[in-house]
Amino acid sequence: MFLTDSNGGHIFVGGDVCVSGHDSGPVFEEQPSSLIYPEGMPEGKVTLSCQARAIPATIYRWRVNGTEIAFAEDSQYTQVAGNLVINNPQNGRDGGSYQCLAINRCGTIVSRVANLKFGYLHDFPPESRSPQTVHEGTGTFLACQPPAHYPALSYRWFINEFPNFIQPEAGRWFVSQVTGNLYLANAKANDTGNYFCFTTINMDISTKSIFSKAVHPNIRVRFPAETYALTGQTAQLECFAYGNPIPKIHWRKVGGILPPKVGASAEGPILIIPELNFDDEGMYECEVYNSEGRETHQGRISVQAQPEWLQVMSDSEVEISSELQWSCAAAGKPRPTIHWLLNNGRLRISNLALEDSGMYQCVAENKHGTIYSNAELRVQVQAPDFRLNPVRRLVPAARGGQVKMECKPRAAPKPTLFWSRGTELLTNSTRITVTPDGVLWIYNISRSDEGKYTCFAENYLGKANSTGHLSVRDATKITLAPSNADINQGENASLQCHASHDPTMDLTFTWSLNGVPLDLEEPNGHYRQTIGDLVIVNGQLSHAGTYTCTAQTVVDSAVASAKLVVRGPPGPPGGLVVTNVDDTSVELRWSHGYDNHSPIGKYVILGRSSQTHDWKRMRTGEVMLHFGNAESARVIDLRPWMDYEFQVIASNILGSGEPSMASQSVRTKQAAPTVAPSGLGGGGGNRNELIITWTPMAREYQNGDGFGYILAFRKQGMPTWTVVRVPHVESSRYVYSNESLSAYCPFEVRIKAYNKKGEGPFSQIAVVHSAEEELMVVWLTILGHSVLLFQIRYWRQHEREAAADRVRTAGLENTARVTGLRPNTLYHVTILAYNSAGTGPPSPRTTVITKKPPPSRPPGNISWKVDGSWVTVRWDHVKSMDNESTVLGYKVSDTLCHPTLRLSLKMCVCVGLTIPICMSPEYLLRFSHLSQRYHIFSYL
C-alpha cells in the first residue's frame, strides 16, 4: 500500500512479508534537530541524527527540501548508521530542510523537519563616527548600528579601552538588546570618552564577537504595541527614559497582577517574563517617573504555542475484512491543521485487507512547528486457536450462587462461539446464558451442574475447542451476625461475626466501615480483630457508622452488617456571621452543628481582638445561651474602633465540642475616649522650660481615629489654665518654654484624650516642676599627668557625700555645666581626676548657693505716648518677694519687630530690648513705623 505525502511523493507503508507476532515497524528513538552553522568555518561538518528501533532492522533514507539525497563518492553527504553527515557545509548549497525516512518491511515513517541555517556576523564599517556633544543633565543615546548578521546579537558597550564595560548605575545607563543602542538618562561631565559597541553572536558550534569604531557621547526606548511569543519561552519588554533626576521605572499588568516569576525586573528597564503560559497574555504598562513628572507606555503580549498532541494514534491489530478508525487531536495557537499525508483529521479504512498492514503517520502543524504521531496497523488472518488462552481447567462454584466461564480464542476473522456439556449443546434458559462474545453464565448452581463444559470456535479458516471442569462447593453462610451497638466517646465496642463454609476451602474475614475497607494492620490503631470478631478501642465520633463483616472463600462470600452509634460532645456550629455592629457590642448568628446523639445544653462565645492572640470568653448577658436551641447572642463590653473575631462552642453532658470556624473580622464603631492617659509627670529640661510627660494611649483605648491629647497646666495657686493640643497618638511629652519661668516652679497638670468623636475625661491633677537651676564648674587642669577624665560630684546641704550626683567630662576640659539644680539651695562640689593608674584624691570641697528664682509678677500699668516718630513707654515697678531674686532691669519686646527696629536696636523677633533699671520706669523709642504693641518683663 502507498500513501501520497504533502509533496506529491509516495511512501511505502506495507507489504505481505511483515510477520505478525514477530516483526515490528520503525519507531524513532532519535530525530534530527535544527541548527545554525557558522559561515566560513574551515574543514567543518554537520551531523543530523536519526535512529529508530524496528524488527527487522531499519533502512534509512534522507531528503533535502523534499528531494531524496543520492549518496555518491564525490558528494558532500555521508550516511553513518542512520545519521546524515554534511562535510564542509556551505551557505547557498547546503542550507534547507532535512527529513529522515526509517523503513523496514512493515512500513515507513518520516521524521520531523530539521532546518540547517548559516550564521554570520560581518564587521562594522571602517568609517569613523562624528563626535557627539550633550549638555550636562540631559539625556542622549549612542546608536550601535550593527552590521549584517544572523541570528540575533547580544550587545554590550565599553568606554575608552577593552574590557572597561559600562555597568548599570542606578538606572542611568541602559543597553537595548533589541537595537543595541546605548541610552543615558542624564549626562555628567565625567561621561566624556570614547564609546564602543560590542556585539556577540552565539551559535551551537561557536561564538563570535566584534566591536565598533569609537563614538563620543532624545529618544525614549519603547517596547512594541504587540509582542508575540511562544509558551515556554522568555519574553522581554524594554522601556527607558531620559530625565533629571534619573527616572525610576515600574511595570504592571493592566487589569491583572504581575506574575511573581518576573522578580526584580518589575522595577528595571527590561521586564523579563520567563516560561510563558497563556495566563501571561495581556496588556503590560511601563511607568517612568521622577520628581518632575511621570509618563506611561502600554503594549500587548500575545502568547502562541507550537502544536502539542491531545490525542494520538496507537498500534492496532485488527481482523481482516473489519473496519479501522484512527483519530488525532492537537492543541496549539494558531489552531493546528491535521492531515495524514493524504486526507484530513481522521483516517478510516473499511473492509481491511492484508495489504493494509503497515506504518501510518498523523501530522499536526501550524506556523510555529510540525509534530508527527506514528502507529502500526496489523491486519490479521488466523484459524481459531486456544493455545494462548484456553478455558479455565477447574472452575469452582458455590451451591445457590452463580458462575462465569469465558471463551477467548485467537482468531481472525472473528469466530462463531458455542458451548456444550458433554454432548448437550447449551442454549439460553432461565438458569443459563451464552453471550455473543462467548461468555457462559450459570445461575442458582446445584450439585447436578458439576461436570465438563466445552467451548467450540469456528471461522472459515478452521475449528478449535477447549474444555473446563465445573466443581460445586458448599455455600458460605453467616452463623453469628454482629449486633447494633451504642457507646460514649472513649469507650470500647465489640462486634461478633461467625460463618460456616465448605471445609475444602479457606475462609477469611474482612470488615468495612460505610463501604470502606478497614486497615486492621495499622500500628496503634483503634481496631483489633480476632478471627471474625472486631473490637473498636477508644471509640471516637469518626468511628460511628455501618460496619460490614464479609466471610469469603475463593468461590463465594457472605456479609452481615450492624450500626455503631458513638455519643460525644457536639460538633462545631456553622454559618457564624456578625451583624448589627455597634461601638461596644455586636450580634452573632449561627446554625446548630451535629449534636452527636446527645442534646446540646448551652453555647459559649469566644472572641479575640486584633491586639491579642488568645481566645477568651466574651460577655453576653444572654440567658438563652444556656439552652440548646439558641442561635443568636449579643456580645457586650467590647472596645470601640477595635477589630474582633468570634467563635461559638456548643456543649452537652459529654463535654464541649470543637469551636466553629472564626467569623470574619469586624471593627466596632468609633466613640469618644472613655479613659484618660496614664503616667502623667515630667520635670527637668533646660532653664525656662516646663516638660510634661505621659504614657501614650494603647490602641485598645483610642476608640477612634483622629486621636490626640489635650494638656492643661497652670502655676500652682493660679486660677487660669493654659490648654494645648498634641495631635499625634505616639506623642509622650510636651515642652513649654517661657523666659519668665522660674526655676523649679510647681505646676498643676492634667491630661485627656480626644478623637473625631469627642473628648474623654481629664486625668487626676499631677504636680510637675519647671527646670531646675544649673551650675558652671571651673577648675585648673593637672600638669604632668595623663588625665583621661574628670568627675564632678555635687550634693545638697544635709545630704551625705556618698549619695552625691555625678557628672563626667573629658580630661582635656576644665569646665562643666551641671543642670537640674534647685534654686536658692546650698550645694557642696568636689572634683576627682582619672587616668590609667586609677582615681586621684578629691579636690577640696567648694560650697555654692544657687540663685533665687526670677520675679513671678509682671510689670503693671503699661502705657505709651506717641509724639511724631517717638514713643514713650511707661510701667510700674516690680517688687521682688523674699524668695525671689532682686529686679535688675526690664525687657521691652514688640510683637511685629519691624525691620527698621531690628537694624537700629540690633534685636530679633521675640528677643526684645534689655533696659537697665536706672532708665526705668520710662524709656523713649523711635520708630519709622508705629503699629507695634509692646510687652515689658522684669529680669534678673
Side-chain angles (χ1 to χ4, degrees):
M1 176 181 178
F2 293 87
L3 288 181
T4 302
D5 67 12
S6 56
N7 298 309
H10 291 82
I11 301 174
F12 176 74
V13 295
D16 57 359
V17 293
C18 183
V19 180
S20 178
H22 176 269
D23 294 349
S24 61
V27 176
F28 281 120
E29 295 183 324
E30 191 172 354
Q31 298 188 55
S33 298
S34 298
L35 58 84
I36 300 173
Y37 185 82
E39 187 180 65
M41 179 176 285
E43 302 300 327
K45 64 180 180 180
V46 167
T47 300
L48 299 176
S49 300
C50 183
Q51 298 294 328
R53 68 175 185 272
I55 301 175
T58 306
I59 298 172
Y60 300 94
R61 295 177 186 168
W62 282 87
R63 291 177 181 161
V64 56
N65 299 325
T67 302
E68 187 166 325
I69 295 175
F71 295 93
E73 291 185 5
D74 57 349
S75 171
Q76 74 270 28
Y77 299 114
T78 305
Q79 185 168 312
V80 179
N83 301 337
L84 176 65
V85 179
I86 308 173
N87 298 295
N88 192 22
Q90 296 179 18
N91 193 6
R93 183 190 71 180
D94 298 316
S97 300
Y98 289 80
Q99 270 187 303
C100 172
L101 285 69
I103 309 163
N104 77 352
R105 64 191 180 198
C106 292
T108 300
I109 57 175
V110 182
S111 75
R112 67 189 175 205
V113 174
N115 294 310
L116 174 61
K117 296 183 179 182
F118 287 80
Y120 58 92
L121 175 58
H122 295 171
D123 291 332
F124 279 93
E127 298 84 13
S128 297
R129 302 192 187 184
S130 301
Q132 186 168 328
T133 303
V134 62
H135 293 290
E136 187 171 2
T138 62
T140 189
F141 79 100
L142 303 178
C144 179
Q145 298 174 356
H149 60 274
Y150 180 84
L153 300 174
S154 62
Y155 300 91
R156 299 175 72 184
W157 283 75
F158 64 90
I159 180 171
N160 293 330
E161 60 183 26
F162 184 86
N164 186 22
F165 287 103
I166 291 174
Q167 303 295 330
E169 178 190 325
R172 207 164 67 91
W173 294 99
F174 172 64
V175 178
S176 171
Q177 296 302 311
V178 176
T179 63
N181 296 343
L182 174 66
Y183 294 84
L184 178 59
N186 58 62
K188 297 181 180 178
N190 59 4
D191 292 328
T192 301
N194 294 320
Y195 288 74
F196 299 83
C197 179
F198 186 84
T199 61
T200 302
I201 185 169
N202 293 299
M203 290 172 278
D204 298 330
I205 299 174
S206 69
T207 297
K208 181 179 181 180
S209 299
I210 62 171
F211 54 84
S212 66
K213 299 293 183 181
V215 181
H216 296 275
N218 213 325
I219 298 175
R220 181 176 293 113
V221 180
R222 295 174 182 265
F223 54 96
E226 189 84 22
T227 299
Y228 292 92
L230 294 179
T231 56
Q233 294 184 346
T234 297
Q236 293 191 177
L237 304 181
E238 294 187 346
C239 181
F240 189 73
Y242 303 153
N244 191 5
I246 300 169
K248 295 183 182 299
I249 299 174
H250 176 71
W251 294 85
R252 75 182 187 95
K253 186 177 184 184
V254 180
I257 300 174
L258 276 179
K261 60 187 176 184
V262 305
S265 71
E267 306 295 332
I270 302 179
L271 179 70
I272 301 174
I273 310 175
E275 299 178 2
L276 280 170
N277 56 51
F278 289 113
D279 292 336
D280 297 324
E281 192 170 69
M283 188 72 71
Y284 288 80
E285 180 182 270
C286 162
E287 180 185 36
V288 294
Y289 59 94
N290 63 12
S291 58
E292 301 302 312
R294 63 185 60 233
E295 187 175 350
T296 61
H297 173 68
Q298 292 184 350
R300 169 173 290 277
I301 292 181
S302 294
V303 180
Q304 300 196 345
Q306 296 175 326
E308 180 180 356
W309 288 119
L310 299 176
Q311 179 185 357
V312 296
M313 54 200 296
S314 58
D315 293 343
S316 296
E317 290 188 3
V318 295
E319 300 170 359
I320 194 170
S321 302
S322 64
E323 182 179 278
L324 169 70
Q325 180 171 303
W326 262 329
S327 296
C328 287
K333 189 176 180 182
R335 185 175 180 178
T337 59
I338 297 178
H339 60 276
W340 297 82
L341 303 176
L342 178 64
N343 42 54
N344 197 13
R346 179 171 296 154
L347 179 66
R348 184 168 188 157
I349 306 175
S350 301
N351 194 25
L352 283 163
L354 284 175
E355 55 268 25
D356 292 325
S357 296
M359 300 299 301
Y360 291 79
Q361 285 186 290
C362 177
V363 184
E365 60 183 335
N366 64 12
K367 65 180 182 180
H368 301 299
T370 304
I371 54 176
Y372 296 81
S373 174
N374 311 323
E376 182 178 0
L377 171 63
R378 292 188 176 181
V379 179
Q380 293 188 344
V381 56
Q382 181 180 354
D385 186 349
F386 282 99
R387 286 177 296 178
L388 295 179
N389 194 22
V391 173
R392 189 177 173 188
R393 290 183 177 277
L394 178 62
V395 182
R399 282 191 300 175
Q402 63 185 31
V403 68
K404 174 185 179 183
M405 301 178 72
E406 294 183 326
C407 181
K408 293 183 176 181
R410 289 178 62 89
K414 187 176 181 179
T416 302
L417 301 173
F418 54 92
W419 286 84
S420 71
R421 182 185 178 194
T423 59
E424 177 189 0
L425 182 66
L426 299 179
T427 58
N428 291 341
S429 65
T430 56
R431 294 182 55 245
I432 295 176
T433 299
V434 180
T435 67
D437 58 354
V439 176
L440 172 64
W441 286 94
I442 305 175
Y443 305 98
N444 192 20
I445 294 173
S446 65
R447 287 285 184 186
S448 63
D449 292 320
E450 256 186 356
K452 291 183 178 182
Y453 291 79
T454 301
C455 175
F456 293 89
E458 179 180 355
N459 64 14
Y460 73 89
L461 295 173
K463 301 179 181 179
N465 63 76
S466 181
T467 301
H469 185 271
L470 176 64
S471 175
V472 179
R473 313 291 176 87
D474 291 337
T476 303
K477 296 181 180 179
I478 299 293
T479 57
L480 179 59
S483 301
N484 294 339
D486 187 330
I487 62 172
N488 291 335
Q489 182 175 292
E491 296 178 349
N492 298 342
S494 180
L495 302 176
Q496 292 182 310
C497 185
H498 296 176
S500 63
H501 68 291
D502 191 298
T504 64
M505 294 180 293
D506 293 331
L507 178 69
T508 58
F509 289 91
T510 58
W511 285 87
S512 64
L513 172 58
N514 298 327
V516 179
L518 295 179
D519 182 4
L520 302 176
E521 305 298 327
E522 181 184 357
N524 304 317
H526 291 267
Y527 298 108
R528 308 285 187 271
Q529 183 177 1
T530 304
I531 308 179
D533 297 343
L534 179 69
V535 177
I536 298 99
V537 180
N538 187 23
Q540 301 298 309
L541 295 174
S542 60
H543 297 144
T546 300
Y547 284 82
T548 300
C549 169
T550 302
Q552 188 167 14
T553 67
V554 294
V555 297
D556 69 341
S557 62
V559 297
S561 299
K563 289 187 176 180
L564 174 65
V565 174
V566 181
R567 303 181 187 274
L576 178 60
V577 295
V578 185
T579 60
N580 299 329
V581 179
D582 207 340
D583 56 348
T584 60
S585 65
V586 299
E587 186 173 344
L588 301 184
R589 296 186 179 275
W590 64 88
S591 58
H592 297 301
Y594 294 113
D595 63 5
N596 291 325
H597 310 290
S598 180
I600 297 173
K602 66 175 182 178
Y603 289 94
V604 173
I605 309 297
L606 302 180
R608 65 181 178 186
S609 72
S610 56
Q611 305 301 304
T612 61
H613 298 288
D614 298 328
W615 295 92
K616 66 176 184 179
R617 188 165 180 170
M618 309 301 289
R619 289 196 58 194
T620 61
E622 301 277 353
V623 177
M624 288 297 292
L625 286 180
H626 294 285
F627 296 92
N629 58 354
E631 291 187 311
S632 65
R634 187 150 199 92
V635 182
I636 60 175
D637 293 345
L638 302 177
R639 288 282 182 188
W641 199 54
M642 187 66 65
D643 296 324
Y644 285 96
E645 291 179 293
F646 301 95
Q647 290 181 332
V648 181
I649 295 178
S651 61
N652 57 22
I653 59 173
L654 296 176
S656 296
E658 293 293 321
S660 68
M661 291 183 63
S663 69
Q664 274 193 322
S665 179
V666 295
R667 177 171 290 186
T668 51
K669 292 183 177 179
Q670 301 186 41
T674 55
V675 297
S678 61
L680 185 60
N686 298 323
R687 185 175 180 179
N688 305 126
E689 286 184 347
L690 172 66
I691 297 179
I692 304 171
T693 60
W694 63 92
T695 302
M697 290 279 274
R699 170 67 177 80
E700 57 188 301
Y701 298 107
Q702 294 170 20
N703 290 6
D705 57 5
F707 186 86
Y709 305 94
I710 297 176
L711 283 170
F713 55 91
R714 65 183 178 185
K715 283 186 180 179
Q716 206 168 38
M718 298 297 287
T720 305
W721 294 88
T722 299
V723 178
V724 295
R725 283 181 174 249
V726 183
H728 301 297
V729 64
E730 66 274 9
S731 299
S732 61
R733 71 195 300 265
Y734 175 77
V735 180
Y736 172 68
S737 299
N738 192 317
E739 291 188 2
S740 66
L741 278 182
S742 304
Y744 207 66
C745 178
F747 278 78
E748 293 179 331
V749 180
R750 57 182 181 173
I751 189 171
K752 64 180 176 180
Y754 72 90
N755 60 24
K756 287 184 176 179
K757 286 295 183 178
E759 300 176 1
F762 266 120
S763 67
Q764 295 292 323
I765 293 176
V767 177
V768 178
H769 290 79
S770 60
E772 299 173 315
E773 274 287 1
E774 63 181 18
L775 179 68
M776 180 65 74
V777 182
V778 182
W779 63 90
L780 296 175
T781 58
I782 300 174
L783 299 178
H785 299 276
S786 298
V787 176
L788 299 178
L789 58 86
F790 292 100
Q791 184 187 86
I792 299 93
R793 293 181 182 176
Y794 58 96
W795 64 97
R796 286 183 292 170
Q797 193 178 22
H798 310 304
E799 289 183 342
R800 293 181 302 134
E801 182 178 354
D805 291 319
R806 293 166 171 81
V807 172
R808 291 185 176 184
T809 186
L812 298 178
E813 303 291 337
N814 65 346
T815 61
R817 184 178 298 275
V818 180
T819 61
L821 304 178
R822 295 187 180 184
N824 197 26
T825 303
L826 186 147
Y827 281 89
H828 301 293
V829 181
T830 186
I831 302 174
L832 296 83
Y834 288 79
N835 65 10
S836 58
T839 305
S843 69
R845 181 182 302 178
T846 299
T847 301
V848 63
I849 298 177
T850 55
K851 292 181 180 180
K852 294 181 180 180
S856 58
R857 294 174 298 163
N861 295 325
I862 301 171
S863 64
W864 61 87
K865 178 181 178 183
V866 179
D867 184 8
S869 61
W870 294 87
V871 177
T872 302
V873 184
R874 298 180 184 276
W875 60 88
D876 289 345
H877 268 309
V878 174
K879 184 177 181 181
S880 59
M881 303 178 70
D882 292 340
N883 64 341
E884 295 176 340
S885 300
T886 303
V887 175
L888 302 179
Y890 298 88
K891 275 189 178 180
V892 179
S893 69
D894 68 303
T895 57
L896 297 181
C897 202
H898 191 273
T900 302
L901 183 65
R902 291 204 301 272
L903 292 173
S904 61
L905 299 179
K906 300 184 180 350
M907 73 180 205
C908 299
V909 175
C910 302
V911 172
L913 176 67
T914 301
I915 305 171
I917 196 168
C918 61
M919 300 180 66
S920 64
E922 180 179 303
Y923 191 67
L924 196 62
L925 302 175
R926 182 170 182 170
F927 299 93
S928 61
H929 182 63
L930 301 177
S931 61
Q932 283 87 351
R933 292 189 176 182
Y934 306 98
H935 303 278
I936 291 82
F937 305 92
S938 56
Y939 77 104
L940 291 174

